[in-house]
Amino acid sequence: MDQDAPRNGAMHFELRTPGGASTHAGLLEFSAAEGTVQLPARVADNLWGGARGAAAGPVTVTYKRLEKG
């Protein structure tokens, strides 16, 4: 799958923790420091069950192209 996000339109991502928890999210803006992501509390709760900040741990972010329909 071609992962050229700017060319493919709306940006949607899969977020996955090393423990296997995952969710999907859309992008509002690119404003976090390089190498970091900032997640709304609701998304973080889905991944880590309420842990906040560095206690939440690492997350893998993968661009996902959603097909129309």
Side-chain angles (χ1 to χ4, degrees):
M1 173 173 75
D2 181 6
Q3 301 222 358
D4 185 3
R7 189 182 73 211
N8 291 327
M11 300 175 126
H12 301 276
F13 297 87
E14 177 186 58
L15 309 171
R16 184 173 296 277
T17 67
S22 69
T23 192
H24 292 82
L27 177 73
L28 293 178
E29 61 181 279
F30 284 107
S31 61
E34 186 172 339
T36 67
V37 294
Q38 296 175 339
L39 302 174
R42 184 179 217 170
V43 175
D45 288 347
N46 282 334
L47 292 171
W48 294 285
R52 294 284 189 267
V59 62
T60 301
V61 180
T62 307
Y63 169 72
K64 295 292 183 179
R65 182 172 181 209
L66 301 179
E67 300 295 331
K68 291 183 178 181

Short mmCIF file of all heavy atoms in Angstrom, two decimals:
data_model
loop_
_atom_site.label_atom_id
_atom_site.label_comp_id
_atom_site.label_asym_id
_atom_site.label_seq_id
_atom_site.Cartn_x
_atom_site.Cartn_y
_atom_site.Cartn_z
N MET A 1 0.86 -1.19 0.00
CA MET A 1 0.00 0.00 0.00
C MET A 1 0.89 1.23 0.00
O MET A 1 1.83 1.34 0.78
CB MET A 1 -0.90 0.00 1.23
CG MET A 1 -1.69 1.28 1.39
SD MET A 1 -2.91 1.26 2.72
CE MET A 1 -1.86 1.40 4.14
N ASP A 2 0.60 2.17 -0.86
CA ASP A 2 1.31 3.45 -0.92
C ASP A 2 0.92 4.28 0.29
O ASP A 2 -0.25 4.52 0.53
CB ASP A 2 0.92 4.17 -2.21
CG ASP A 2 1.63 5.49 -2.37
OD1 ASP A 2 2.50 5.81 -1.56
OD2 ASP A 2 1.30 6.20 -3.33
N GLN A 3 1.90 4.72 1.09
CA GLN A 3 1.60 5.46 2.31
C GLN A 3 1.95 6.93 2.18
O GLN A 3 2.33 7.57 3.15
CB GLN A 3 2.33 4.82 3.49
CG GLN A 3 1.91 3.39 3.66
CD GLN A 3 1.69 3.00 5.10
OE1 GLN A 3 1.87 3.77 6.01
NE2 GLN A 3 1.26 1.79 5.30
N ASP A 4 1.81 7.50 0.98
CA ASP A 4 2.08 8.91 0.75
C ASP A 4 0.88 9.73 1.23
O ASP A 4 -0.03 10.05 0.48
CB ASP A 4 2.34 9.14 -0.73
CG ASP A 4 2.76 10.56 -1.04
OD1 ASP A 4 2.89 11.38 -0.10
OD2 ASP A 4 2.95 10.86 -2.23
N ALA A 5 0.87 10.05 2.53
CA ALA A 5 -0.30 10.68 3.16
C ALA A 5 -0.73 11.97 2.48
O ALA A 5 -1.92 12.14 2.21
CB ALA A 5 -0.02 10.92 4.64
N PRO A 6 0.15 12.93 2.18
CA PRO A 6 -0.32 14.17 1.57
C PRO A 6 -1.03 13.94 0.23
O PRO A 6 -2.01 14.60 -0.08
CB PRO A 6 0.95 14.99 1.38
CG PRO A 6 1.88 14.48 2.44
CD PRO A 6 1.56 13.00 2.53
N ARG A 7 -0.57 13.00 -0.55
CA ARG A 7 -1.18 12.73 -1.84
C ARG A 7 -2.50 11.97 -1.71
O ARG A 7 -3.41 12.12 -2.52
CB ARG A 7 -0.22 11.94 -2.73
CG ARG A 7 -0.74 11.83 -4.16
CD ARG A 7 0.16 11.02 -5.03
NE ARG A 7 0.01 9.63 -4.64
CZ ARG A 7 0.96 8.71 -4.73
NH1 ARG A 7 2.14 9.03 -5.17
NH2 ARG A 7 0.74 7.48 -4.36
N ASN A 8 -2.64 11.17 -0.65
CA ASN A 8 -3.81 10.33 -0.49
C ASN A 8 -4.97 10.99 0.24
O ASN A 8 -6.00 10.38 0.44
CB ASN A 8 -3.43 9.02 0.22
CG ASN A 8 -2.57 8.15 -0.66
OD1 ASN A 8 -2.72 8.14 -1.88
ND2 ASN A 8 -1.65 7.44 -0.07
N GLY A 9 -4.80 12.23 0.69
CA GLY A 9 -5.92 12.94 1.32
C GLY A 9 -5.93 12.85 2.82
O GLY A 9 -4.89 12.87 3.46
N ALA A 10 -7.13 12.76 3.39
CA ALA A 10 -7.32 12.77 4.85
C ALA A 10 -6.37 11.79 5.52
O ALA A 10 -6.11 10.70 5.03
CB ALA A 10 -8.75 12.43 5.20
N MET A 11 -5.87 12.21 6.68
CA MET A 11 -4.87 11.41 7.36
C MET A 11 -5.47 10.68 8.56
O MET A 11 -6.01 11.30 9.47
CB MET A 11 -3.72 12.29 7.80
CG MET A 11 -3.06 12.97 6.63
SD MET A 11 -1.83 14.10 7.21
CE MET A 11 -0.45 13.52 6.31
N HIS A 12 -5.38 9.37 8.53
CA HIS A 12 -5.87 8.51 9.59
C HIS A 12 -4.74 7.57 10.00
O HIS A 12 -3.99 7.09 9.14
CB HIS A 12 -7.08 7.70 9.13
CG HIS A 12 -8.20 8.56 8.68
ND1 HIS A 12 -9.11 9.09 9.56
CD2 HIS A 12 -8.54 9.01 7.46
CE1 HIS A 12 -9.97 9.84 8.88
NE2 HIS A 12 -9.64 9.80 7.61
N PHE A 13 -4.62 7.32 11.29
CA PHE A 13 -3.51 6.55 11.80
C PHE A 13 -3.97 5.45 12.74
O PHE A 13 -4.95 5.60 13.45
CB PHE A 13 -2.54 7.46 12.57
CG PHE A 13 -1.92 8.51 11.71
CD1 PHE A 13 -2.55 9.73 11.52
CD2 PHE A 13 -0.72 8.29 11.07
CE1 PHE A 13 -1.99 10.71 10.71
CE2 PHE A 13 -0.15 9.26 10.26
CZ PHE A 13 -0.78 10.47 10.09
N GLU A 14 -3.22 4.34 12.73
CA GLU A 14 -3.39 3.31 13.74
C GLU A 14 -2.35 3.59 14.82
O GLU A 14 -1.18 3.84 14.52
CB GLU A 14 -3.14 1.93 13.15
CG GLU A 14 -3.24 0.83 14.21
CD GLU A 14 -2.86 -0.53 13.68
OE1 GLU A 14 -1.72 -0.68 13.18
OE2 GLU A 14 -3.70 -1.42 13.76
N LEU A 15 -2.77 3.55 16.07
CA LEU A 15 -1.89 3.73 17.22
C LEU A 15 -1.84 2.41 17.96
O LEU A 15 -2.88 1.83 18.28
CB LEU A 15 -2.42 4.83 18.14
CG LEU A 15 -2.75 6.16 17.46
CD1 LEU A 15 -3.48 7.08 18.42
CD2 LEU A 15 -1.51 6.80 16.92
N ARG A 16 -0.61 1.92 18.24
CA ARG A 16 -0.48 0.60 18.88
C ARG A 16 0.59 0.66 19.96
O ARG A 16 1.67 1.19 19.74
CB ARG A 16 -0.11 -0.45 17.83
CG ARG A 16 -0.04 -1.86 18.36
CD ARG A 16 0.16 -2.88 17.25
NE ARG A 16 -0.97 -2.91 16.34
CZ ARG A 16 -2.10 -3.59 16.54
NH1 ARG A 16 -2.26 -4.31 17.63
NH2 ARG A 16 -3.06 -3.57 15.64
N THR A 17 0.27 0.10 21.13
CA THR A 17 1.24 0.02 22.23
C THR A 17 2.02 -1.28 22.11
O THR A 17 1.57 -2.23 21.46
CB THR A 17 0.53 0.07 23.59
OG1 THR A 17 -0.23 -1.13 23.75
CG2 THR A 17 -0.34 1.29 23.74
N PRO A 18 3.20 -1.36 22.76
CA PRO A 18 3.95 -2.62 22.75
C PRO A 18 3.14 -3.78 23.36
O PRO A 18 3.35 -4.93 23.00
CB PRO A 18 5.18 -2.32 23.61
CG PRO A 18 5.37 -0.85 23.48
CD PRO A 18 3.97 -0.29 23.40
N GLY A 19 2.20 -3.46 24.24
CA GLY A 19 1.35 -4.49 24.85
C GLY A 19 0.25 -5.00 23.95
O GLY A 19 -0.48 -5.91 24.31
N GLY A 20 0.09 -4.39 22.77
CA GLY A 20 -0.89 -4.86 21.80
C GLY A 20 -2.19 -4.08 21.75
O GLY A 20 -3.03 -4.34 20.89
N ALA A 21 -2.39 -3.13 22.66
CA ALA A 21 -3.61 -2.31 22.60
C ALA A 21 -3.52 -1.42 21.37
O ALA A 21 -2.44 -0.94 21.01
CB ALA A 21 -3.74 -1.45 23.86
N SER A 22 -4.65 -1.19 20.71
CA SER A 22 -4.63 -0.34 19.52
C SER A 22 -5.94 0.43 19.38
O SER A 22 -6.96 0.04 19.92
CB SER A 22 -4.36 -1.15 18.27
OG SER A 22 -5.46 -1.99 17.98
N THR A 23 -5.85 1.50 18.64
CA THR A 23 -7.01 2.30 18.28
C THR A 23 -6.66 3.06 17.01
O THR A 23 -5.53 2.98 16.52
CB THR A 23 -7.44 3.25 19.42
OG1 THR A 23 -8.72 3.80 19.12
CG2 THR A 23 -6.43 4.37 19.63
N HIS A 24 -7.61 3.75 16.45
CA HIS A 24 -7.38 4.56 15.25
C HIS A 24 -7.77 6.00 15.55
O HIS A 24 -8.65 6.25 16.36
CB HIS A 24 -8.21 4.02 14.08
CG HIS A 24 -7.73 2.68 13.62
ND1 HIS A 24 -8.11 1.52 14.24
CD2 HIS A 24 -6.90 2.33 12.62
CE1 HIS A 24 -7.53 0.50 13.63
NE2 HIS A 24 -6.79 0.96 12.65
N ALA A 25 -7.08 6.92 14.89
CA ALA A 25 -7.34 8.35 15.12
C ALA A 25 -7.06 9.13 13.85
O ALA A 25 -6.24 8.73 13.03
CB ALA A 25 -6.45 8.86 16.25
N GLY A 26 -7.75 10.26 13.72
CA GLY A 26 -7.50 11.20 12.63
C GLY A 26 -6.58 12.30 13.12
O GLY A 26 -6.43 12.52 14.31
N LEU A 27 -5.97 12.98 12.20
CA LEU A 27 -4.99 14.01 12.52
C LEU A 27 -5.63 15.39 12.53
O LEU A 27 -6.36 15.75 11.62
CB LEU A 27 -3.88 13.98 11.47
CG LEU A 27 -2.81 15.03 11.61
CD1 LEU A 27 -1.94 14.70 12.79
CD2 LEU A 27 -2.01 15.12 10.35
N LEU A 28 -5.35 16.17 13.58
CA LEU A 28 -5.80 17.56 13.63
C LEU A 28 -4.69 18.50 13.19
O LEU A 28 -4.92 19.43 12.44
CB LEU A 28 -6.25 17.93 15.05
CG LEU A 28 -7.51 17.24 15.54
CD1 LEU A 28 -7.81 17.66 16.97
CD2 LEU A 28 -8.69 17.59 14.64
N GLU A 29 -3.47 18.27 13.68
CA GLU A 29 -2.36 19.14 13.31
C GLU A 29 -1.04 18.48 13.63
O GLU A 29 -0.97 17.57 14.44
CB GLU A 29 -2.44 20.48 14.03
CG GLU A 29 -2.36 20.34 15.55
CD GLU A 29 -2.47 21.66 16.26
OE1 GLU A 29 -1.45 22.36 16.33
OE2 GLU A 29 -3.57 21.98 16.73
N PHE A 30 0.00 18.94 12.96
CA PHE A 30 1.36 18.50 13.24
C PHE A 30 2.03 19.57 14.07
O PHE A 30 2.61 20.52 13.56
CB PHE A 30 2.16 18.32 11.94
CG PHE A 30 1.82 17.08 11.18
CD1 PHE A 30 1.10 17.15 10.00
CD2 PHE A 30 2.24 15.84 11.62
CE1 PHE A 30 0.81 16.01 9.28
CE2 PHE A 30 1.95 14.69 10.91
CZ PHE A 30 1.23 14.78 9.74
N SER A 31 1.95 19.48 15.40
CA SER A 31 2.56 20.51 16.23
C SER A 31 3.36 19.95 17.41
O SER A 31 3.97 20.71 18.14
CB SER A 31 1.49 21.47 16.75
OG SER A 31 0.56 20.78 17.55
N ALA A 32 3.40 18.65 17.58
CA ALA A 32 4.17 18.06 18.69
C ALA A 32 5.66 18.08 18.34
O ALA A 32 6.04 18.13 17.17
CB ALA A 32 3.72 16.62 18.93
N ALA A 33 6.48 18.05 19.36
CA ALA A 33 7.93 18.00 19.15
C ALA A 33 8.29 16.74 18.36
O ALA A 33 7.63 15.71 18.48
CB ALA A 33 8.64 17.99 20.49
N GLU A 34 9.35 16.82 17.55
CA GLU A 34 9.76 15.68 16.75
C GLU A 34 10.00 14.46 17.62
O GLU A 34 10.59 14.55 18.70
CB GLU A 34 11.04 16.02 15.99
CG GLU A 34 11.44 14.92 15.03
CD GLU A 34 12.60 15.32 14.13
OE1 GLU A 34 12.84 16.52 13.96
OE2 GLU A 34 13.25 14.40 13.62
N GLY A 35 9.49 13.32 17.18
CA GLY A 35 9.64 12.08 17.93
C GLY A 35 8.60 11.86 19.01
O GLY A 35 8.68 10.90 19.76
N THR A 36 7.62 12.78 19.11
CA THR A 36 6.58 12.65 20.13
C THR A 36 5.21 12.78 19.48
O THR A 36 5.08 13.30 18.38
CB THR A 36 6.69 13.73 21.22
OG1 THR A 36 6.42 15.00 20.65
CG2 THR A 36 8.06 13.73 21.86
N VAL A 37 4.19 12.29 20.18
CA VAL A 37 2.81 12.53 19.78
C VAL A 37 2.05 13.00 21.02
O VAL A 37 2.37 12.63 22.14
CB VAL A 37 2.11 11.28 19.19
CG1 VAL A 37 2.73 10.87 17.88
CG2 VAL A 37 2.11 10.13 20.17
N GLN A 38 1.08 13.86 20.79
CA GLN A 38 0.20 14.30 21.86
C GLN A 38 -1.18 13.77 21.54
O GLN A 38 -1.69 13.98 20.45
CB GLN A 38 0.20 15.82 21.96
CG GLN A 38 1.55 16.37 22.34
CD GLN A 38 1.59 17.88 22.32
OE1 GLN A 38 0.78 18.54 21.68
NE2 GLN A 38 2.55 18.45 23.02
N LEU A 39 -1.76 13.05 22.49
CA LEU A 39 -3.04 12.40 22.28
C LEU A 39 -4.10 12.99 23.19
O LEU A 39 -3.82 13.29 24.35
CB LEU A 39 -2.93 10.90 22.58
CG LEU A 39 -1.90 10.12 21.79
CD1 LEU A 39 -1.83 8.69 22.31
CD2 LEU A 39 -2.21 10.14 20.31
N PRO A 40 -5.32 13.12 22.68
CA PRO A 40 -6.42 13.52 23.57
C PRO A 40 -6.59 12.47 24.67
O PRO A 40 -6.29 11.29 24.47
CB PRO A 40 -7.64 13.54 22.64
CG PRO A 40 -7.10 13.59 21.26
CD PRO A 40 -5.76 12.93 21.30
N ALA A 41 -7.08 12.90 25.82
CA ALA A 41 -7.26 12.00 26.96
C ALA A 41 -8.07 10.76 26.58
O ALA A 41 -7.74 9.65 27.01
CB ALA A 41 -7.93 12.74 28.11
N ARG A 42 -9.08 10.93 25.79
CA ARG A 42 -9.94 9.81 25.41
C ARG A 42 -9.16 8.73 24.64
O ARG A 42 -9.36 7.53 24.85
CB ARG A 42 -11.09 10.34 24.58
CG ARG A 42 -12.11 9.33 24.20
CD ARG A 42 -13.20 9.98 23.40
NE ARG A 42 -14.47 9.40 23.74
CZ ARG A 42 -15.62 9.88 23.37
NH1 ARG A 42 -15.70 10.98 22.67
NH2 ARG A 42 -16.73 9.27 23.71
N VAL A 43 -8.28 9.17 23.76
CA VAL A 43 -7.47 8.22 22.98
C VAL A 43 -6.47 7.53 23.90
O VAL A 43 -6.29 6.31 23.85
CB VAL A 43 -6.77 8.93 21.81
CG1 VAL A 43 -5.82 7.97 21.08
CG2 VAL A 43 -7.79 9.50 20.83
N ALA A 44 -5.79 8.30 24.76
CA ALA A 44 -4.84 7.71 25.71
C ALA A 44 -5.53 6.70 26.63
O ALA A 44 -4.98 5.63 26.90
CB ALA A 44 -4.17 8.81 26.52
N ASP A 45 -6.74 7.02 27.08
CA ASP A 45 -7.49 6.09 27.93
C ASP A 45 -7.75 4.78 27.20
O ASP A 45 -7.69 3.70 27.80
CB ASP A 45 -8.80 6.70 28.39
CG ASP A 45 -8.62 7.79 29.43
OD1 ASP A 45 -7.51 7.91 29.99
OD2 ASP A 45 -9.59 8.52 29.67
N ASN A 46 -8.05 4.84 25.91
CA ASN A 46 -8.29 3.63 25.12
C ASN A 46 -7.04 2.76 25.05
O ASN A 46 -7.13 1.53 25.02
CB ASN A 46 -8.75 3.97 23.71
CG ASN A 46 -10.20 4.37 23.66
OD1 ASN A 46 -10.99 3.97 24.50
ND2 ASN A 46 -10.56 5.17 22.68
N LEU A 47 -5.87 3.40 25.01
CA LEU A 47 -4.63 2.65 24.86
C LEU A 47 -4.05 2.18 26.18
O LEU A 47 -3.51 1.08 26.26
CB LEU A 47 -3.59 3.52 24.13
CG LEU A 47 -3.89 3.81 22.67
CD1 LEU A 47 -2.92 4.85 22.13
CD2 LEU A 47 -3.83 2.54 21.84
N TRP A 48 -4.11 3.02 27.22
CA TRP A 48 -3.42 2.72 28.47
C TRP A 48 -4.34 2.68 29.69
O TRP A 48 -3.85 2.61 30.81
CB TRP A 48 -2.30 3.73 28.73
CG TRP A 48 -1.21 3.62 27.72
CD1 TRP A 48 -0.26 2.65 27.65
CD2 TRP A 48 -0.94 4.51 26.65
NE1 TRP A 48 0.58 2.89 26.59
CE2 TRP A 48 0.18 4.03 25.96
CE3 TRP A 48 -1.55 5.69 26.21
CZ2 TRP A 48 0.70 4.68 24.86
CZ3 TRP A 48 -1.02 6.33 25.10
CH2 TRP A 48 0.08 5.82 24.44
N GLY A 49 -5.61 2.79 29.53
CA GLY A 49 -6.53 2.69 30.65
C GLY A 49 -6.37 3.77 31.70
O GLY A 49 -6.50 3.50 32.87
N GLY A 50 -6.04 4.98 31.29
CA GLY A 50 -5.99 6.10 32.22
C GLY A 50 -4.60 6.57 32.60
O GLY A 50 -4.46 7.59 33.24
N ALA A 51 -3.53 5.86 32.20
CA ALA A 51 -2.17 6.33 32.50
C ALA A 51 -1.92 7.61 31.72
O ALA A 51 -2.43 7.81 30.62
CB ALA A 51 -1.15 5.27 32.11
N ARG A 52 -1.14 8.51 32.29
CA ARG A 52 -0.87 9.80 31.66
C ARG A 52 0.63 10.06 31.56
O ARG A 52 1.42 9.55 32.34
CB ARG A 52 -1.48 10.95 32.46
CG ARG A 52 -2.99 10.94 32.49
CD ARG A 52 -3.53 11.45 31.13
NE ARG A 52 -4.95 11.65 31.19
CZ ARG A 52 -5.85 10.76 30.85
NH1 ARG A 52 -5.49 9.59 30.45
NH2 ARG A 52 -7.13 11.03 30.93
N GLY A 53 1.01 10.87 30.61
CA GLY A 53 2.39 11.30 30.47
C GLY A 53 3.33 10.15 30.13
O GLY A 53 2.96 9.20 29.45
N ALA A 54 4.56 10.26 30.61
CA ALA A 54 5.58 9.25 30.32
C ALA A 54 5.16 7.88 30.83
O ALA A 54 5.61 6.86 30.31
CB ALA A 54 6.91 9.66 30.93
N ALA A 55 4.30 7.82 31.86
CA ALA A 55 3.84 6.54 32.39
C ALA A 55 3.04 5.75 31.37
O ALA A 55 2.93 4.54 31.47
CB ALA A 55 2.99 6.77 33.64
N ALA A 56 2.51 6.45 30.37
CA ALA A 56 1.72 5.78 29.35
C ALA A 56 2.60 4.91 28.47
O ALA A 56 2.19 3.84 28.04
CB ALA A 56 0.97 6.80 28.50
N GLY A 57 3.82 5.30 28.20
CA GLY A 57 4.75 4.50 27.42
C GLY A 57 4.75 4.81 25.95
O GLY A 57 4.06 5.72 25.48
N PRO A 58 5.52 4.03 25.20
CA PRO A 58 5.67 4.27 23.76
C PRO A 58 4.43 3.83 22.98
O PRO A 58 3.64 3.01 23.44
CB PRO A 58 6.88 3.43 23.38
CG PRO A 58 6.89 2.33 24.38
CD PRO A 58 6.36 2.93 25.65
N VAL A 59 4.30 4.40 21.80
CA VAL A 59 3.22 4.04 20.89
C VAL A 59 3.77 4.04 19.47
O VAL A 59 4.59 4.89 19.13
CB VAL A 59 2.00 5.00 21.04
CG1 VAL A 59 2.36 6.41 20.69
CG2 VAL A 59 0.82 4.53 20.21
N THR A 60 3.36 3.07 18.68
CA THR A 60 3.73 3.03 17.26
C THR A 60 2.60 3.66 16.47
O THR A 60 1.43 3.30 16.65
CB THR A 60 3.96 1.58 16.79
OG1 THR A 60 5.00 1.02 17.58
CG2 THR A 60 4.33 1.53 15.32
N VAL A 61 2.93 4.60 15.60
CA VAL A 61 1.95 5.31 14.79
C VAL A 61 2.15 4.90 13.34
O VAL A 61 3.25 5.05 12.80
CB VAL A 61 2.09 6.84 14.93
CG1 VAL A 61 1.06 7.56 14.09
CG2 VAL A 61 1.99 7.25 16.40
N THR A 62 1.09 4.38 12.70
CA THR A 62 1.16 3.94 11.31
C THR A 62 0.06 4.62 10.51
O THR A 62 -1.12 4.55 10.89
CB THR A 62 0.97 2.41 11.22
OG1 THR A 62 1.90 1.77 12.10
CG2 THR A 62 1.18 1.92 9.81
N TYR A 63 0.43 5.26 9.42
CA TYR A 63 -0.56 5.88 8.53
C TYR A 63 -1.40 4.79 7.90
O TYR A 63 -0.91 3.76 7.46
CB TYR A 63 0.15 6.69 7.45
CG TYR A 63 -0.76 7.15 6.34
CD1 TYR A 63 -1.69 8.15 6.56
CD2 TYR A 63 -0.70 6.56 5.09
CE1 TYR A 63 -2.54 8.57 5.56
CE2 TYR A 63 -1.55 6.97 4.07
CZ TYR A 63 -2.47 7.97 4.31
OH TYR A 63 -3.30 8.37 3.31
N LYS A 64 -2.72 5.02 7.86
CA LYS A 64 -3.64 4.06 7.24
C LYS A 64 -4.49 4.79 6.22
O LYS A 64 -5.12 5.80 6.53
CB LYS A 64 -4.58 3.43 8.29
CG LYS A 64 -3.87 2.57 9.30
CD LYS A 64 -3.33 1.33 8.65
CE LYS A 64 -2.67 0.42 9.65
NZ LYS A 64 -2.17 -0.78 9.06
N ARG A 65 -4.53 4.28 5.02
CA ARG A 65 -5.38 4.85 3.98
C ARG A 65 -6.72 4.16 4.05
O ARG A 65 -6.82 2.92 3.99
CB ARG A 65 -4.76 4.65 2.61
CG ARG A 65 -5.58 5.28 1.53
CD ARG A 65 -4.88 5.25 0.21
NE ARG A 65 -5.71 5.89 -0.78
CZ ARG A 65 -5.70 5.60 -2.05
NH1 ARG A 65 -4.89 4.66 -2.50
NH2 ARG A 65 -6.50 6.22 -2.88
N LEU A 66 -7.78 4.95 4.22
CA LEU A 66 -9.12 4.39 4.29
C LEU A 66 -9.77 4.51 2.92
O LEU A 66 -9.84 5.59 2.35
CB LEU A 66 -9.95 5.14 5.34
CG LEU A 66 -9.39 5.12 6.75
CD1 LEU A 66 -10.30 5.92 7.68
CD2 LEU A 66 -9.21 3.71 7.26
N GLU A 67 -10.25 3.41 2.44
CA GLU A 67 -10.93 3.39 1.14
C GLU A 67 -12.31 4.02 1.28
O GLU A 67 -12.96 3.87 2.32
CB GLU A 67 -11.05 1.96 0.61
CG GLU A 67 -9.72 1.27 0.41
CD GLU A 67 -8.85 1.90 -0.67
OE1 GLU A 67 -9.40 2.49 -1.62
OE2 GLU A 67 -7.63 1.83 -0.53
N LYS A 68 -12.77 4.68 0.22
CA LYS A 68 -14.11 5.25 0.24
C LYS A 68 -15.13 4.13 0.22
O LYS A 68 -14.93 3.09 -0.38
CB LYS A 68 -14.33 6.16 -0.97
CG LYS A 68 -13.52 7.42 -0.91
CD LYS A 68 -13.82 8.32 -2.10
CE LYS A 68 -13.03 9.59 -1.98
NZ LYS A 68 -13.30 10.50 -3.09
N GLY A 69 -16.28 4.41 0.89
CA GLY A 69 -17.36 3.45 0.83
C GLY A 69 -17.72 2.93 2.08
O GLY A 69 -18.12 2.66 2.96
#
